[in-house]
């Protein structure tokens, strides 16, 4: 009681602040829950589940539980002998397996298997470890210890190294290097020193000579040689892809690359690959030799990025082609390999994989593996203009693309896009369109054609429409208003994701704010992101538009265009990729694109924007009232506004730029910050902070230097 009654005023104020913050947080979660519960589709699913429960309850009401239990017991008695027999058979099989292993002279297994079931692997005279460059050192040490006399290590240290899921440099250094590096072989080869107990296999039989030359000089000092062999009956893709080296150049359409976490994806590249796979199938070059997806197929697709792999899988689903990252393909081979290089506009720098120059670099090893999987044909998909401008002079990828371009063929990506005519897709809309000839050929829609066809898609929408646009203008919003109001009245959800008014390019802040307010007045969900360059429209999780044209702000530039893809797989994958607060897989992303993500500012009630900072993503008030919060943060007290009523809204001039200052709320109390923040970070402390106290009367916490 004494502790309760004798609490200081400062402690009580702190508790009140914390309670108010918890109340605000609960209100925010309540609004979010109400939004979800207000989803008519989810409500219908819930009502159907309740009705089904009632039907089942009614059907079981007159059933005799005891009788049902007796039936179950009788069934269990009948199957008991079968269960015992199965157990005996399994025991016999285990004994047979042990006897076979005990008597076998050669046993093949993965390295992982040897230490997961150690009772099966012991007392070997010799151990041969293949593909050793990808095996972590502790596993190498373990399996080597199984040999009594000899250990033979086989592998290529110019291919992929072990995958060690860690961000700690010490762990990576200890177990992330391969056995060749640990044995000093890598450095010795680099210094051209003679090696004992080491031999290089210089003859290869997989790749034809043109492909082998691409990597031999750059990765093996020209020592890797091609031995001629009979290739009678080897399948070949149709022209112009039947040569050994081909580059599909995407620079004529200048595609954008987007980011999903630390990975990258390029939708235009993926669309070109989809068309190429379909063209190969239609001309008799089957992705697989047996008609089913197996590892012996004729065609393979690989890319350095997991996000691009996921998009490619979605767009080529049902084709039977094997799609994977380059790591998936180490140890595999195909008659023809498509190597998708997503790097393009939208990123300031090319990826670390693309920058690699030395044979020891991870990127060089990765592209070495990708190229050397092919027997007869290597097909690159790449933006040659972008890569020529961005790649370092000594980049391994630059050398590969130069040789493929000069000694092979360059194919315009528009010719590949034309392999999938859009006329059949447009017939499903149910009305004719007068489209440009090039649009009908390539499937790339410029502004007028995009407005006509996308408008028709929106007219036919029945569930939801999500529009991602780099910029927004009142003129475009006004043009959409009649259509948007009509669809919202029909129960269709519309969500618009764009930039906040103060990040809206050259458009004045007040006009950008009017455009966003106008969308909300129509009934649209509006979310803003500090940096967004994606131009995407997702309709009913079935139709996907993407490209370089801002749907909410057209500039009449003739080089801007959009592509249209139909089908749920691609639309759901993009819905999952574009979400900022969800880690749902594409299979669970239905309806995700039209669910609002940004909370309202708890301080002023205005919209918030999504930003990426040094310590992760965070929400910030769109009007810069001072409120910020890390994304995903819950039950965290926010700075209280109590006691600010008597403080003036503006303070003394900024000591840095002499501009006006405004009242802000920080983690240690109130202060006056420059109104030109973040361009100017000048601060003027208020009277309370100048005296060394915060709003609670306590001394501010010590701030650690970073």
């Amino acid at each position: 009681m004494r502790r309760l009654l004798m609490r200081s005023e400062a402690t009580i104020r702190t508790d009140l602040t914390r309670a108010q913050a918890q109340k605000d947080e609960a209100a925010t979660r309540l609004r979010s829950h109400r939004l979800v519960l207000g989803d008519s589709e989810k409500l219908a699913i819930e009502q159907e589940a309740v009705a089904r429960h009632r039907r089942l309850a009614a059907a079981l009401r007159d059933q005799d539980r005891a009788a049902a239990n007796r039936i179950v017991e009788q069934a269990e008695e009948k199957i008991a002998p079968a269960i015992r027999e199965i157990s005996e058979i399994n025991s016999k099989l285990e004994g047979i397996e042990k006897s076979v292993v005990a008597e076998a002279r050669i046993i093949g297994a993965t390295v992982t298997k040897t230490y997961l079931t150690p009772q099966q692997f012991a007392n070997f005279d010799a151990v041969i470890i293949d593909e050793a460059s990808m095996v972590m050192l502790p596993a190498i040490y373990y399996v080597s210890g199984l040999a009594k006399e000899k250990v033979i290590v086989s592998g290529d240290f110019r291919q992929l190294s072990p995958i060690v899921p860690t961000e700690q440099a010490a762990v990576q250094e200890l177990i992330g290097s391969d056995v060749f590096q640990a044995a000093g072989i890598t450095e010795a080869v680099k210094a051209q020193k003679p090696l004992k107990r080491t031999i290089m296999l210089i003859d290869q039989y997989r790749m034809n000579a043109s492909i082998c030359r691409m990597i031999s000089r750059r990765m093996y000092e020209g020592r890797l040689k091609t031995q001629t062999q009979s290739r009678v009956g080897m399948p070949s893709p149709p022209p112009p892809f039947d040569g050994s080296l081909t580059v599909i150049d995407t620079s004529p359409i200048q595609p954008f690359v987007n980011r999903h976490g630390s990975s990258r994806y390029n939708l235009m590249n993926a669309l070109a690959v989809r068309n190429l796979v379909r063209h190969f199938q239609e001309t008799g070059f089957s992705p697989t030799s047996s008609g089913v997806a197996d590892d012996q197929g004729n065609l393979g697709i690989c890319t350095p990025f997991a996000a691009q792999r996921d998009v490619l899988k979605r767009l080529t689903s049902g084709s039977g082609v094997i799609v994977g990252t380059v790591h998936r393909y180490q140890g595999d081979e195909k008659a023809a390999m498509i190597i998708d290089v997503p790097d393009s506009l939208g990123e300031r720098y090319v990826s670390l994989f693309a920058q690699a120059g030395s044979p020891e670099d991870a990127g060089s090893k990765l592209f070495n593996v990708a190229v050397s999987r092919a027997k007869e044909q290597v097909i690159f998909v790449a933006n040659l203009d972008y890569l020529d401008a961005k790649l370092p002079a000594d980049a391994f990828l630059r050398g590969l693309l130069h040789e493929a371009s000069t000694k092979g063929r360059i194919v315009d990506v528009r010719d590949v896009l034309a392999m999938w005519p859009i006329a059949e897709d447009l017939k499903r809309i149910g009305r004719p369109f007068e489209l440009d000839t090039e649009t009908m050929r390539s499937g790339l829609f410029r502004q007028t054609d995009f407005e006509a066809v996308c408008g028709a898609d929106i007219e036919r929408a029945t569930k939801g429409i999500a529009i991602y646009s780099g910029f927004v203008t009142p003129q475009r919003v006004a043009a959409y208003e009649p259509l948007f109001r009509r669809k919202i009245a029909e129960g269709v959800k519309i969500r618009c994701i764009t930039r906040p008014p103060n990040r809206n390019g050259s458009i004045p802040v007040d006009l950008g704010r009017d455009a966003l307010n106008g969308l909300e007045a129509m009934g649209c969900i509006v979310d803003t992101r500090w940096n967004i360059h994606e131009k995407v429209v997702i309709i009913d999780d079935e139709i996907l538009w993407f490209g370089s044209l801002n749907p909410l702000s057209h500039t009449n530039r003739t080089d801007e265009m959009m592509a249209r893809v139909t089908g749920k797989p691609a639309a759901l994958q993009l819905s999952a990729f574009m979400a900022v607060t969800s880690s749902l897989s594409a299979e669970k992303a239905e309806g995700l694109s039209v669910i609002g993500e940004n909370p309202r500012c708890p301080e002023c009630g205005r919209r918030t924007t999504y930003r990426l900072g040094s310590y992760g993503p965070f929400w910030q008030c769109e009007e810069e009232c001072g409120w910020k919060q890390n994304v995903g943060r819950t039950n965290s007290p926010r700075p209280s506004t109590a006691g600010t009523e008597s403080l003036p809204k503006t303070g003394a001039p900024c000591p840095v730029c002499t501009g006006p200052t405004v009242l802000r709320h920080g983690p240690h109390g109130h202060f006056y910050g420059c109104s030109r923040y973040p361009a100017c970070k000048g601060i003027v402390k208020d009277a309370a902070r100048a005296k060394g106290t915060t709003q609670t009367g306590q001394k501010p916490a010590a701030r650690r230097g970073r």
Side-chain angles (χ1 to χ4, degrees):
M1 288 293 290
R2 178 179 177 84
R3 285 196 299 270
L4 178 64
L5 296 175
M6 295 300 291
R7 290 191 304 164
S8 67
E9 179 182 354
T11 303
I12 294 173
R13 286 186 178 276
T14 300
D15 291 345
L16 288 174
T17 300
R18 186 178 294 107
Q20 181 63 40
Q22 291 174 348
K23 179 182 176 182
D24 294 343
E25 189 64 41
T28 301
R29 292 202 305 271
L30 180 61
R31 285 195 296 269
S32 177
H33 292 326
R34 282 176 175 168
L35 179 64
V36 175
L37 291 175
D39 189 326
S40 58
E41 185 177 352
K42 289 186 172 66
L43 188 59
I45 294 173
E46 181 183 355
Q47 291 173 345
E48 173 59 28
V50 172
R52 184 169 178 268
H53 177 269
R54 289 174 179 169
R55 290 195 299 271
L56 290 172
L60 296 172
R61 190 174 296 119
D62 298 329
Q63 299 296 322
D64 185 347
R65 185 184 183 91
N69 285 336
R70 286 194 296 271
I71 295 174
V72 172
E73 291 172 357
Q74 292 171 1
E76 289 177 346
E77 290 178 359
K78 289 182 179 179
I79 65 174
I83 293 176
R84 287 193 296 271
E85 184 178 357
I86 291 173
S87 178
E88 293 172 359
I89 292 173
N90 286 336
S91 179
K92 291 179 181 179
L93 288 174
E94 186 177 350
I96 293 172
E97 181 180 351
K98 289 181 179 179
S99 64
V100 169
V101 171
E103 297 175 6
R105 302 193 62 184
I106 300 174
I107 297 176
T110 63
V111 173
T112 306
K113 179 74 172 176
T114 62
Y115 58 78
L116 289 181
T117 55
Q119 66 276 8
Q120 294 185 6
F121 302 95
N123 300 320
F124 293 103
D125 295 323
V127 169
I128 301 174
I129 308 171
D130 194 19
E131 290 289 356
S133 66
M134 287 197 72
V135 183
M136 287 190 288
L137 288 175
I140 289 277
Y141 301 152
Y142 176 85
V143 74
S144 298
L146 301 177
K148 294 186 293 185
E149 297 179 9
K150 297 179 182 179
V151 176
I152 300 173
V153 177
S154 172
D156 186 347
F157 56 87
R158 293 287 167 81
Q159 294 192 6
L160 296 172
S161 301
I163 301 173
V164 182
T166 181
E167 296 181 358
Q168 299 184 32
V171 175
Q172 181 69 37
E173 184 178 351
L174 284 172
I175 65 175
S177 60
D178 58 52
V179 64
F180 301 97
Q181 185 175 348
I185 296 174
T186 304
E187 287 299 321
V189 170
K190 186 176 180 181
Q192 298 184 344
K193 294 180 179 179
L195 291 166
K196 297 180 180 180
R197 296 176 288 115
T198 302
I199 186 170
M200 176 181 176
L201 305 180
I202 62 174
D203 295 330
Q204 69 86 23
Y205 296 86
R206 174 193 296 154
M207 301 168 279
N208 67 33
S210 297
I211 299 174
C212 181
R213 280 193 296 269
M214 289 183 71
I215 61 174
S216 178
R217 178 170 55 85
R218 295 175 175 87
M219 298 298 288
Y220 304 103
E221 293 79 36
R223 297 170 64 188
L224 187 64
K225 305 297 182 181
T226 301
Q227 293 300 318
T228 57
Q229 58 179 318
S230 174
R231 296 180 181 268
V232 177
M234 180 67 70
S236 179
F241 309 101
D242 52 341
S244 297
L245 307 174
T246 307
V247 180
I248 298 176
D249 182 16
T250 65
S251 57
I253 62 174
Q254 292 298 306
F256 277 81
V257 63
N258 300 314
R259 186 178 289 272
H260 178 63
S262 60
S263 192
R264 302 182 182 189
Y265 63 95
N266 185 321
L267 290 167
M268 282 295 185
N269 280 31
L271 192 62
V273 173
R274 179 202 70 170
N275 290 10
L276 195 61
V277 170
R278 171 174 165 168
H279 179 63
F280 285 178
Q281 288 180 309
E282 290 177 343
T283 53
F285 185 77
S286 174
T288 58
S289 57
S290 58
V292 297
D294 56 32
D295 287 346
Q296 304 303 316
N298 298 326
L299 179 64
I301 303 172
C302 69
T303 181
F305 300 103
Q308 185 70 358
R309 172 205 61 197
D310 294 342
V311 173
L312 289 167
K313 278 187 175 181
R314 290 278 169 174
L315 288 179
T316 60
S317 60
S319 67
V321 68
I322 305 297
V323 180
T325 60
V326 180
H327 290 81
R328 153 69 178 80
Y329 268 102
Q330 180 146 323
D332 201 352
E333 60 182 28
K334 300 291 179 184
M337 282 295 302
I338 300 174
I339 303 174
D340 186 356
V341 184
D343 294 83
S344 191
L345 301 178
E347 290 286 352
R348 187 175 179 182
Y349 303 106
V350 294
S351 62
L352 292 177
F353 294 130
Q355 294 180 34
S358 168
E360 285 75 32
D361 291 341
S364 298
K365 294 179 180 180
L366 182 138
F367 284 111
N368 180 34
V369 171
V371 170
S372 60
R373 301 309 94 192
K375 299 178 182 178
E376 294 295 323
Q377 287 86 25
V378 173
I379 304 170
F380 291 97
V381 182
N383 184 338
L384 292 183
D385 287 352
Y386 174 85
L387 293 172
D388 183 49
K390 296 290 185 179
L391 285 175
D394 63 343
F396 181 59
L397 179 59
R398 177 184 288 277
L400 293 179
L401 293 176
H402 174 74
E403 186 161 347
S405 300
T406 55
K407 297 184 178 180
R409 294 191 184 104
I410 298 178
V411 177
D412 192 319
V413 70
R414 290 171 294 189
D415 296 332
V416 178
L417 295 176
M419 294 174 180
W420 189 301
I422 64 171
E424 292 299 320
D425 288 341
L426 296 181
K427 285 181 181 178
R428 300 172 189 170
I429 298 179
R431 76 186 212 199
F433 296 96
E434 294 184 3
L435 303 180
D436 183 79
T437 304
E438 181 60 22
T439 297
M440 294 299 297
R441 188 186 82 87
S442 67
L444 299 176
F445 295 74
R446 301 193 186 277
Q447 180 175 331
T448 303
D449 292 344
F450 165 72
E451 290 175 355
V453 180
C454 185
D457 286 336
I458 293 175
E459 286 272 13
R460 298 169 65 241
T462 59
K463 297 178 182 178
I465 302 161
I467 302 176
Y468 299 81
S469 182
F471 302 101
V472 60
T473 61
Q475 294 83 356
R476 286 304 306 159
V477 171
Y480 279 124
E481 181 177 9
L483 178 57
F484 282 7
R485 288 190 182 276
R486 187 165 64 254
K487 298 310 296 183
I488 291 172
E490 294 172 2
V492 176
K493 285 188 173 184
I494 300 180
R495 177 172 173 243
C496 299
I497 305 92
T498 185
R499 296 183 184 227
N502 60 343
R503 294 280 297 172
N504 199 23
S506 60
I507 302 166
V509 172
D510 57 340
L511 292 182
R513 187 181 296 111
D514 290 345
L516 299 183
N517 292 341
L519 288 169
E520 287 189 329
M522 299 176 204
C524 298
I525 301 168
V526 176
D527 285 340
T528 64
R529 300 180 184 177
W530 193 256
N531 285 315
I532 177 174
H533 66 258
E534 292 91 349
K535 293 87 174 174
V536 173
V537 181
I538 301 173
I539 302 173
D540 286 348
D541 289 330
E542 289 283 353
I543 299 174
L544 171 66
W545 286 90
F546 64 90
S548 58
L549 191 153
N550 285 297
L552 297 177
S553 170
H554 294 174
T555 61
N556 294 313
R557 287 177 52 181
T558 58
D559 60 338
E560 292 181 340
M561 57 191 69
M562 298 287 275
R564 182 179 185 271
V565 176
T566 58
K568 186 165 288 189
L572 291 182
Q573 185 65 71
L574 259 291
S575 294
F577 278 173
M578 299 294 286
V580 298
T581 59
S582 174
S583 58
L584 287 177
S585 64
E587 289 75 13
K588 299 179 181 178
E590 191 158 355
L592 180 65
S593 63
V594 292
I595 297 178
E597 295 174 303
N598 296 33
R600 283 281 172 173
C601 176
E603 300 288 351
C604 65
R606 293 184 175 91
R607 288 184 299 267
T608 61
T609 189
Y610 173 84
R611 294 189 64 176
L612 291 174
S614 301
Y615 303 102
F618 64 95
W619 306 117
Q620 175 181 298
C621 180
E622 200 174 276
E623 298 297 328
E624 294 190 357
C625 77
W627 180 82
K628 297 179 183 179
Q629 179 175 289
N630 291 340
V631 173
R633 181 179 176 185
T634 58
N635 296 328
S636 301
R638 289 188 288 267
S640 172
T641 59
T644 64
E645 295 82 359
S646 60
L647 296 176
K649 299 300 182 185
T650 59
C654 173
V656 178
C657 68
T658 69
T661 58
V662 295
L663 182 66
R664 298 188 185 279
H665 315 291
H668 306 298
H670 311 308
F671 67 97
Y672 291 99
C674 184
S675 61
R676 298 174 181 172
Y677 179 87
C680 176
K681 297 180 173 63
I683 292 177
V684 177
K685 296 181 180 179
D686 63 74
R689 293 192 64 177
K691 294 177 181 178
T693 60
T694 66
Q695 68 223 24
T696 62
Q698 298 173 320
K699 289 198 174 185
R703 302 188 68 179
R704 298 177 181 175
R706 295 178 183 238

